[in-house]
Amino acid sequence: MKALIIGATGATGKDLVNILLQAPDYTEVVIFVRRPGGMDHPKLVEILTDFDKLEDVSEHIKGDVWFSCLGTTLKAAGSRDKQWHIDYEIPLKFAEIAKRNGVPGVVLLSAYGASTTSRIFYSKMKGKLEDAITGLNFKQYIIFRPGMLLRKDTDRSGERIMAGVLKFLNSLGLIRKFRPLPTSILAEKLAKAPKILTDGKHVIELDKIFRF
């Protein structure tokens, strides 16, 4: 299988790239990045990309499955408009090109609570992206909706504090549905999903990811 990835430089994306490169079922891994990452592997292809000009790299958006791990925080983006552009407009444009080029499978990293009816901006944005890609009618469409992610060596103090609180509550047997999920484990689930799920749309909710 030939895999395409956007968001390959994020925490989950990095883990996913490493897993796909080691997996014999994946023969080529094409990542779309703003700048060279310095990784050298016979199965890896880096496409330097201006994500505001995706048509310029459209000839490379061809393969068996596309993984979308692209996303940012409001703080990092600086505004809702910029976050909308990164989390919604760029993945949707990539999806449209992938569909046009005959890519059959999509694995979308979304978020817990994603819904077009949510009153929370982030959740509503993710829900709108899910629905927009649904409308493109890919042969295989897999959505993951994780909650709190554990990123290796994270520098986000709020993330570390929240993870600690959740771990403590989990140790008491409370809200285990919301236990933190290491990005390495999530990446493993993302990688195997296209190989074991049938054609059609599949939504893997937070409480099912650990058992998937």
Side-chain angles (χ1 to χ4, degrees), residues 102-118:
V103 178
V106 179
V107 180
L108 175 68
L109 177 55
S110 186
Y112 173 74
S115 171
T116 57
T117 61
S118 176

Side-chain angles (χ1 to χ4, degrees), residues 17 20-23 26-30 38-46:
V17 170
L20 295 184
L21 291 177
Q22 296 172 31
Y26 290 94
T27 56
E28 187 175 355
V29 180
V30 183
M39 182 182 292
D40 185 26
H41 192 282
K43 286 166 48 173
L44 181 67
V45 178
E46 279 189 340

Side-chain angles (χ1 to χ4, degrees), residues 173-203:
L174 301 174
I175 58 173
R176 291 193 57 79
K177 173 182 176 180
F178 296 98
R179 65 190 185 274
L181 175 64
T183 56
S184 58
I185 293 178
L186 174 58
E188 291 176 2
K189 311 295 186 178
L190 295 173
K192 78 174 185 177
K195 298 182 288 183
I196 64 174
L197 294 176
T198 59
D199 293 344
K201 182 177 178 179
H202 306 268
V203 180

